[in-house]
Amino acid sequence: MQRAIPFEIFRYAVILGIVAISLVPTLWMVSMAFKPIAEWSAAGADLTWWPRNPTLDNFRFIFGQSSTDLIVALERTAGRPILASLLTATFGTLIAMTAGTAAAYGLSRFGQGGNLPLALIQLRLFPPMAVMIPVMIMWSFLGLIDNWFGLSLIYGIVTLPFAFWLMKTFFDDMPREIEDAALVEGCTRWRVFVRVTLPMMRPALASSALFVFILNWSDYLIALLLTTRDWATIPVYMASLSSSMTGQLYGAKAALGVIAAVPPIIMGIAIQKHLVRGLTFGALKE
Amino acid sequence: MTNASTMEPVAERPAASASTGAGLGLWLTLPAQLLVLFIALFPILMQVYISLTDWSPLDGIPWWRAHELWIGLLNYTDLMADSRFWGALWRTMFVMAVCVPVQFLLGLGLAVLFVDDFHGKRVLYSTLLVPMMVVPAVAGYMFFMLFQSGGPVNDLLSLFTSDPVRIAWLSDPDLALIAVMVADIWQWTPLMFLILLAGMISVPQDQQMAAILLGASWWRRFFTIVLPRMKSIIIIALAIRVIEIFKIFDTLFIMTGGGPGVATETISVYIYKVTQQELIWSYVAAIALAILIVLSVVSVFAIKRMQRGQGT
């Protein structure tokens, strides 16, 4: 539809304005991450929007290199928390995707587990805070507090609804002729699933896994409750970058924030055409 | 092409040869069933039990012997009179009542601007989605920095005043909640936009074309054709935000920690504080259970209604 020129100008003005506003907070953090201490500390009170002397000192600092300007040294570097985030998010994704894909196939093809869709939506509805007391009691009983497997397991359960619903809509969309042909050839149901269906669904599996990974990587509350030190994830560790001794280490926090923010942004843009499907539990497909 | 299919959680069409695969189907769904049972049944029974006692992890007795500290329904009667709980609930509802409509209207407006093609659409679309992919805890930290008294927000405001603005946003009880809501609106308007745009694109063109030929104005077409056809999508988008704001924690907790005082204490923050700082776990169990029961009733009712609505 062709619209009038004034409308086009109006459209670009509004959109560019909103895009600018939506980018400012992120860019501010990026800017902080590359500022030397003199520009981000409270002492250097005059505010600069862009680093005058860009530096990688903040990144070096959180990985343990002591800075000449900053007297403090870190008791723990960011390496371990980054590893913890990566490992627990990956393993949680593995759990959610395995259970979710299998169940989605079972429901989509064989009509089994009819209670799951509703149960999983309800699982998504409840605040995690409302089931954490029993989980914390059970986890400490099982020795899973501050343990990578304990955190991964709960991640797997919390994101199971997304894995299940995404894969269910993908299986529902998939034509069954190929599977039927393989069945006629004499393959067992299991073989058809493993050898025919899953390889065909590789793109769908990859998109769903990335989606679930983003969710796991983004968690803060659960890690805050279930980890103390060894397996503290990035957001939990971030809080330790401020203390009464050092004050807020703005630059160091910003550098860590950039590291935490980059993977999900890249992954999210990579799977953007499936985002709607994932976020609305398949109610809307693209 | 977008396809607005209906939510059909229960009704399924089994494959023609369903009977042959029923056994495999059961095995395939088993892990998910076990995980759901594990996170639903056991914790809920445990919460019922603990909530009837005065147990806390500091008592030195394991949770299964909590019956030694039996207090009956006292936790629940305490809850009724707990002004801090009701305050937190009210505050959560207030954040919801402000943020959801703002996010909806902004998202809808943006969707209208994006519904037909223009130069640079793809890049601008992707850029707009960035906020919702930022880790919420990191977003909380971004806004923590932005709202410092010497931070960029005040710096921008200073452009309009003669004196430099030095508002301490996050330590002012009235302003802290505003800052928190700004952060939520920033992060989650893109989600509304994403869903509403997908819904808007899926509205069939034929009726609109007919309306154009009949000379209907853009506003008229939008309100009588486009919006009514987006009804179920709009409900889903609103429901997602209502549910998520009810749980609001990460961003807010990092920005203010629920403070100053209890000025930004929402339900999740309140429960977290009782859990971690006051360690009255039996009371937390009672709160959690009360919330679970209310949410279950509401959700079953809502989902039933939606299914009935779509049957017609």
Side-chain angles (χ1 to χ4, degrees), chain B residues 23-34:
Chain B
L24 178 61
L26 270 182
W27 280 110
L28 287 173
T29 46
L30 192 65
Q33 298 278 24
L34 288 178

Side-chain angles (χ1 to χ4, degrees), chain A residues 29 234-235 238 256-258 260-261, chain B residues 134-143 251 254:
Chain A
M29 184 176 69
I234 297 174
M238 206 180 211
L256 188 63
V258 169
Chain B
V134 172
V135 177
V138 173
Y141 179 58
M142 288 178 188
F143 280 86
T251 320
I254 289 193

Side-chain angles (χ1 to χ4, degrees), chain B residues 129-254:
Chain B
L129 299 186
V130 167
M132 65 182 258
M133 292 166 209
V134 172
V135 177
V138 173
Y141 179 58
M142 288 178 188
F143 280 86
F144 175 82
M145 285 193 292
L146 291 174
F147 281 110
Q148 291 303 304
S149 61
V153 171
N154 283 340
D155 196 51
L156 279 180
L157 291 175
S158 301
L159 294 178
F160 305 102
T161 56
S162 47
D163 302 320
V165 180
R166 283 285 177 270
I167 303 172
W169 290 90
L170 298 176
S171 43
D172 182 310
D174 297 320
L175 298 176
L177 201 60
I178 294 178
V180 162
M181 290 191 291
V182 168
D184 193 79
I185 291 166
W186 173 81
Q187 182 153 42
W188 298 113
T189 296
L191 180 121
M192 279 283 191
F193 161 66
L194 179 77
I195 297 175
L196 293 174
L197 178 62
M200 206 176 278
I201 291 172
S202 73
V203 173
Q205 289 287 318
D206 46 352
Q207 258 195 339
Q208 291 201 67
M209 285 302 180
I212 292 173
L213 292 178
L214 290 172
S217 70
W218 183 89
W219 290 101
R220 222 186 131 138
R221 276 182 279 136
F222 185 69
F223 283 105
T224 57
I225 301 175
V226 178
L227 272 190
R229 294 212 168 179
M230 286 173 66
K231 193 176 145 202
S232 58
I233 301 305
I234 290 173
I235 291 174
I236 291 168
L238 293 175
I240 290 174
R241 282 317 299 152
V242 164
I243 291 168
E244 294 299 319
I245 290 187
F246 188 77
K247 307 181 200 173
I248 189 168
F249 183 87
D250 296 6
T251 320
L252 185 153
F253 189 71
I254 289 193

Side-chain angles (χ1 to χ4, degrees), chain A:
Chain A
M1 238 178 310
Q2 204 57 48
R3 302 231 204 158
I5 299 294
F7 175 79
E8 292 297 328
I9 294 171
F10 169 76
R11 173 173 21 218
Y12 279 111
V14 172
I15 290 176
L16 290 175
I18 291 181
V19 165
I21 293 171
S22 77
L23 283 180
V24 163
T26 317
L27 291 181
W28 176 255
M29 184 176 69
V30 175
S31 156
M32 286 295 262
F34 290 98
K35 281 179 187 172
I37 178 167
E39 288 176 51
W40 58 251
S41 68
D46 65 327
L47 176 140
T48 50
W49 282 87
W50 211 242
R52 290 200 200 97
N53 306 300
T55 166
L56 287 173
D57 278 358
N58 295 317
F59 291 91
R60 291 201 197 98
F61 176 71
I62 57 174
F63 287 108
Q65 203 180 83
S66 57
S67 153
T68 45
D69 299 325
L70 213 56
I71 317 295
V72 292
L74 280 177
E75 188 206 347
R76 288 184 299 145
T77 66
R80 181 73 190 247
I82 292 173
L83 179 77
S85 275
L86 265 179
L87 184 72
T88 52
T90 307
F91 212 75
T93 305
L94 204 66
I95 294 172
M97 284 302 294
T98 309
T101 306
Y105 192 72
L107 179 62
S108 184
R109 290 296 183 274
F110 312 119
Q112 294 291 338
N115 64 314
L116 278 175
L118 201 63
L120 288 170
I121 283 193
Q122 284 197 312
L123 183 61
R124 188 61 210 156
L125 180 70
F126 299 140
M129 213 42 251
V131 288
M132 283 315 278
I133 288 288
V135 169
M136 285 161 78
I137 295 173
M138 279 193 286
W139 260 228
S140 61
F141 180 69
L142 297 169
L144 292 176
I145 298 277
D146 205 16
N147 171 299
W148 67 272
F149 182 72
L151 192 55
S152 305
L153 183 58
I154 201 81
Y155 280 173
I157 297 174
V158 168
T159 49
L160 176 64
F162 291 98
F164 171 83
W165 273 94
L166 266 166
M167 288 314 296
K168 181 182 168 304
T169 62
F170 283 124
F171 284 132
D172 287 348
D173 288 352
M174 181 187 147
R176 291 168 194 208
E177 283 74 20
I178 302 165
E179 289 185 332
D180 288 343
L183 277 177
V184 172
E185 300 277 315
C187 286
T188 61
R189 280 273 176 191
W190 172 249
R191 264 185 84 86
V192 173
F193 175 53
V194 176
R195 290 290 167 81
V196 179
T197 314
L198 284 185
M200 272 177 63
M201 299 300 273
R202 223 175 273 151
L205 284 166
S207 308
S208 310
L210 285 179
F211 187 89
V212 170
F213 182 90
I214 295 175
L215 294 173
N216 286 332
W217 178 266
S218 300
D219 165 73
Y220 172 53
L221 176 57
I222 298 173
L224 192 60
L225 289 167
L226 292 184
T227 65
T228 49
R229 190 192 158 85
D230 287 350
W231 292 98
T233 57
I234 297 174
V236 179
Y237 167 80
M238 206 180 211
S240 75
L241 290 177
S242 59
S243 69
S244 50
M245 288 255 303
T246 60
Q248 287 282 346
L249 298 175
Y250 287 106
K253 278 191 167 184
L256 188 63
V258 169
I259 294 174
V262 166
I265 291 176
I266 293 173
M267 291 177 185
I269 289 174
I271 58 164
Q272 58 168 264
K273 67 176 184 177
H274 297 303
L275 281 179
V276 172
R277 187 195 286 245
L279 291 165
T280 61
F281 287 109
L284 215 89
K285 297 167 194 165
E286 230 169 328

